[in-house]
Amino acid sequence: MKSKFEAFKLKNLSILIEAVSQKYRTYGPVAKDGEHAFEIIEPESKLYLGCAVTMLPAKYILQPVWQDLFSFKLGDGFQIEEPRLDEKLAIFGISPCDVNALLALDQVFGGKFVDPYYWKRRENTLIIAANCTEVASESFCTSWNTGPELHSNYDLLLTELSDGYLLEIGSLEGENVIVGLNLIKATQADLNEKMARLDSARTNAKKKLPVAPDDLHQFFRERFDHPAWVPNSDVCFSCGNCTIVCPTCYCFDIRDEIMPSRSTGVRRSEWDSCQLLEFAEVGFGANFRRLRIDRFKHRTIHKLSWMKQQYGLTGCVGCGRCVRWCPSWPERRGRLTSLADPVEIIADLMEPLDKYGTAEISRGEAA
């Protein structure tokens, strides 16, 4: 939905946070241990909205790392009890790339097979997005057109100005939140400053995909056996960090936990990662992606190509979390790259074959 309501000027965020918190359990990006994380906020909370690339994306609010699907009890028949999911939620300060990531998850969890746990939370969630007035060094959202500006799919939209915030309304639910706040209307100068700040953010964004997004499917088809996969995957830790922090990764496992009484228990889901050795393991020890190179290629190509073939939306929004939280990142800090960096992987695959001599694809077991 494109904003069709008036824009307002907001001097500080506390009045809006208080109005939202009265009706919703509200999460926002705050400083934590030198980084930023989405946590429950109060009106006095100090939010970081400049370019809040939080370690975990906002998806964890809708698809928790661990969640009880239902508890069960044996005795007089088989009884189950499901958790209540009708709580009103609000995500305050979510960036444009993370909103686009939620749109991708909507296709996964709300398409052919509906995940009621995700979808119930999604329907009860107010989106208060914040345009990015700068782009993080590891981000390449401009290549996907997923940032720094959001044009739709929000209830409220904030843009930081030199003397406050521009507040735009994108839905009736968003409009209802600010009723009674006596906000002043934004001026044309405020709107002009917004556009100038976002133009500057786009101009200063240096990291770009070297291949046009629409050409990536054919690009990977032609380079599926390129020798450049070998040196990257051979030194990958296969730790799964790149997938855990990714805002569009959606894989999870389900386990049953039986209490000592053997008459009660709980069924839980927990995030899983295609980069872990056990992920593709099936009965009798067979494993469809036992080799590390197979897992490395799967994650890259699924993100950048296959997910769009499946769901119509890209599995990468250019947030740069996989770059920043890959364990190889500290060693390469300053070069704006890591082993998980899609931009660098594509650049390596564009190198001529003779650069890699007679290198053969490793067939060794994963660490």
Side-chain angles (χ1 to χ4, degrees):
M1 176 187 302
K2 190 172 180 63
S3 177
K4 56 183 180 182
F5 299 91
E6 294 177 293
F8 296 91
K9 187 69 171 290
L10 195 63
K11 287 296 183 183
N12 61 68
L13 296 177
S14 61
I15 184 175
L16 181 59
I17 296 175
E18 183 172 8
V20 175
S21 300
Q22 289 176 354
K23 299 180 180 178
Y24 303 84
R25 185 177 177 87
T26 306
Y27 293 80
V30 298
K32 185 178 183 181
D33 301 330
E35 299 289 348
H36 295 91
F38 277 104
E39 295 203 336
I40 296 174
I41 58 172
E42 304 291 341
E44 62 273 15
S45 298
K46 293 184 178 179
L47 301 188
Y48 181 77
L49 303 182
C51 185
V53 184
T54 54
M55 177 179 287
L56 285 183
K59 76 170 182 182
Y60 95 89
I61 301 167
L62 307 179
Q63 183 76 5
V65 180
W66 300 276
Q67 65 174 329
D68 290 350
L69 303 180
F70 59 81
S71 58
F72 54 86
K73 182 178 181 180
L74 302 177
D76 185 14
F78 182 73
Q79 304 170 41
I80 65 171
E81 182 176 353
E82 296 181 319
R84 294 189 60 180
L85 299 172
D86 53 359
E87 184 179 35
K88 289 285 189 180
L89 304 172
I91 305 177
F92 204 112
I94 183 174
S95 60
C97 62
D98 276 0
V99 172
N100 279 281
L102 290 182
L103 300 181
L105 294 181
D106 289 350
Q107 298 301 312
V108 176
F109 293 128
K112 184 177 181 180
F113 303 102
V114 176
D115 183 323
Y117 301 91
Y118 170 89
W119 204 247
K120 189 66 176 177
R121 294 190 182 95
R122 182 72 165 100
E123 290 177 329
N124 288 333
T125 299
L126 188 78
I127 298 294
I128 306 159
N131 281 325
C132 295
T133 52
E134 58 179 313
V135 175
S137 60
E138 63 268 31
S139 301
F140 47 100
C141 57
T142 55
S143 294
W144 296 110
N145 197 29
T146 54
E149 182 180 9
L150 190 64
H151 298 281
S152 60
N153 297 297
Y154 59 83
D155 296 295
L156 295 171
L157 177 64
L158 293 161
T159 306
E160 189 171 10
L161 302 177
S162 56
D163 59 346
Y165 298 88
L166 182 71
L167 175 64
E168 297 173 81
I169 306 170
S171 73
L172 289 174
E173 188 169 359
E175 185 178 34
N176 290 335
V177 169
I178 67 167
V179 169
L181 297 186
N182 297 318
L183 301 177
I184 60 174
K185 291 183 180 179
T187 65
Q188 187 59 48
D190 295 326
L191 299 174
N192 292 342
E193 183 180 352
K194 169 197 170 183
M195 298 309 300
R197 282 177 167 251
L198 294 175
D199 286 344
S200 176
R202 275 187 284 267
T203 301
N204 293 329
K206 303 302 182 187
K207 197 175 182 70
K208 310 281 186 185
L209 283 173
V211 175
D214 289 342
D215 296 335
L216 282 173
H217 185 65
Q218 186 63 28
F219 176 84
F220 285 115
R221 285 178 63 91
E222 295 172 351
R223 292 165 176 80
F224 191 79
D225 292 320
H226 194 287
W229 293 108
V230 177
N232 284 303
S233 60
D234 274 354
V235 292
C236 170
F237 296 136
S238 244
C239 63
N241 265 17
C242 53
T243 56
I244 295 301
V245 300
C246 177
T248 67
C249 275
Y250 52 81
C251 289
F252 61 86
D253 197 4
I254 293 180
R255 302 176 186 274
D256 287 341
E257 182 175 337
I258 310 298
M259 299 298 110
S261 65
R262 301 174 64 86
S263 61
T264 61
V266 63
R267 175 163 292 181
R268 292 195 174 100
S269 71
E270 61 182 45
W271 288 4
D272 205 348
S273 169
C274 61
Q275 295 307 288
L276 302 180
L277 177 61
E278 300 83 2
F279 180 83
E281 192 172 68
V282 294
F284 300 102
N287 195 320
F288 296 108
R289 286 192 288 272
R290 182 179 298 278
L291 301 183
R292 185 166 49 205
I293 190 171
D294 293 337
R295 301 196 296 275
F296 189 90
K297 291 167 71 173
H298 172 78
R299 174 249 170 188
T300 303
I301 302 177
H302 189 248
K303 290 274 119 192
L304 302 176
S305 172
W306 292 338
M307 193 165 168
K308 187 170 184 179
Q309 310 305 311
Q310 287 179 282
Y311 299 107
L313 290 174
T314 174
C316 177
V317 293
C319 66
R321 286 184 176 89
C322 58
V323 180
R324 187 175 182 82
W325 278 285
C326 172
S328 72
W329 169 254
E331 298 298 324
R332 302 187 177 201
R333 196 179 292 275
R335 292 176 54 191
L336 306 183
T337 181
S338 74
L339 286 174
D341 189 341
V343 172
E344 292 299 321
I345 294 171
I346 291 173
D348 287 346
L349 293 172
M350 295 175 72
E351 294 286 353
L353 297 179
D354 56 9
K355 175 183 176 181
Y356 297 90
T358 58
E360 296 181 355
I361 294 179
S362 171
R363 309 306 298 175
E365 293 289 327

